[in-house]
Amino acid sequence: MAADQTPQGQTMQTSSENGEIKHQEREQRAFAPITIVIADDHPLLRYGLVSLLAGHADVAVVGEAANGREALDLCTALQPDVVLMDLQMPVLSGFDAIEAIKRISPETHILVVTTFDGDGHIARALKAGATGYLLKASLRTELHAAIRATHHGQRYLAAEAAMALAHRFDERDVAPREREVLRLVGQGNSNKQVAREMGITEETVKCHMKTILSKLGANDRTHAVAIAIRRGIIDL
């Protein structure tokens, strides 16, 4: 029996042949286009993204999703290289979709594409597992470069996003308990109602609000809520 055959007469591959096959597979992957899923609830925005990418031979849009659940289903089936992810979508938010996608498809990198430039939104998206963060205003000039960087696992932040994060690190973070107070105040609750809801005293609520005003540089509680919403510290 020949040394390179199995007892059943099937040809066996040598270690050098296996190495050559793996080398060829790596080369094929290197030259293959970057597969992309677009997740945004606005059809015109999805159409615009497809149009922007149509002129680039190194990328291929393989699926479109109108909400976070559809994005998760597509990633489960297709295992794309990159997802262009909006944050505010129905059924399943972009934040929740990012976390879920990273669990079922760890090799998929996520580039957030959004209008939200608040440091809270950015920090939350990166914590959820996003690799990059791009503002929709910069799509025409930065999209392709952002996709390529994200595909290679490199952190990509729009200039505005990087500045917002730098500003965030220069400030004292709003604690989770303080965020809950802000959320309840933003829903129109009085200090007494907030205290009852959280199981604390009204005096404690007042102390929290004083600290919050100082941290956010706000003039009053209404101003504090407005700042927190703009920065993505709370969602109402």
Side-chain angles (χ1 to χ4, degrees):
M1 182 173 61
D4 60 347
Q5 290 187 337
T6 65
Q8 290 77 24
Q10 296 176 334
T11 301
M12 296 178 62
Q13 293 174 338
T14 65
S15 59
S16 61
E17 289 173 334
N18 283 331
E20 179 63 25
I21 291 173
K22 291 179 179 179
H23 176 70
Q24 291 174 355
E25 289 176 346
R26 284 195 297 269
E27 284 191 333
Q28 289 173 354
R29 287 196 297 270
F31 289 103
I34 301 168
T35 55
I36 295 173
V37 163
I38 298 173
D40 195 290
D41 58 330
H42 294 95
L44 284 178
L45 193 284
R46 297 199 304 272
Y47 176 80
L49 288 171
V50 171
S51 299
L52 281 174
L53 296 174
H56 298 282
D58 60 341
V59 298
V61 177
V62 296
E64 297 181 32
N67 58 62
R69 170 56 60 184
E70 289 182 6
L72 178 58
D73 291 342
L74 282 174
C75 288
T76 302
L78 302 175
Q79 304 280 303
D81 295 318
V82 175
V83 178
L84 305 183
M85 178 72 71
D86 189 21
L87 292 179
Q88 192 170 35
M89 292 188 293
V91 185
L92 188 69
S93 75
F95 298 109
D96 293 333
I98 292 170
E99 291 183 341
I101 289 169
K102 293 304 291 184
R103 284 196 297 269
I104 59 97
S105 184
E107 297 302 314
T108 295
H109 293 290
I110 298 172
L111 174 62
V112 171
V113 178
T114 182
T115 58
F116 295 125
D117 60 358
D119 59 304
H121 293 110
I122 301 164
R124 185 178 172 190
L126 297 180
K127 184 177 180 180
T131 302
Y133 199 99
L134 185 64
L135 299 181
K136 290 180 178 178
S138 304
L139 287 178
R140 187 173 295 278
T141 56
E142 296 186 50
L143 179 60
H144 185 242
I147 288 173
R148 289 183 61 83
T150 301
H151 176 234
H152 288 99
Q154 300 169 359
R155 178 75 74 206
Y156 190 98
L157 297 177
E160 298 88 344
M163 289 177 62
L165 281 183
H167 182 64
R168 177 187 180 89
F169 293 140
D170 287 339
E171 297 177 339
R172 292 177 294 166
D173 284 341
V174 177
R177 198 71 165 167
E178 294 163 350
R179 287 199 297 270
E180 181 63 12
V181 170
L182 266 176
R183 185 183 66 81
L184 291 170
V185 169
Q187 292 174 347
N189 292 291
S190 65
N191 286 347
K192 185 175 183 179
Q193 291 170 319
V194 172
R196 185 186 307 115
E197 179 71 21
M198 296 183 65
I200 57 180
T201 67
E202 191 172 349
E203 190 61 34
T204 300
V205 174
K206 292 179 181 178
C207 288
H208 279 314
M209 281 306 308
K210 183 177 180 180
T211 302
I212 290 167
L213 294 180
S214 175
K215 287 183 176 181
L216 297 182
N219 300 322
D220 52 41
R221 55 198 285 142
T222 302
H223 189 204
V225 170
I227 292 172
I229 292 174
R230 176 177 56 80
R231 288 178 51 183
I233 295 172
I234 61 170
D235 293 312
L236 296 180

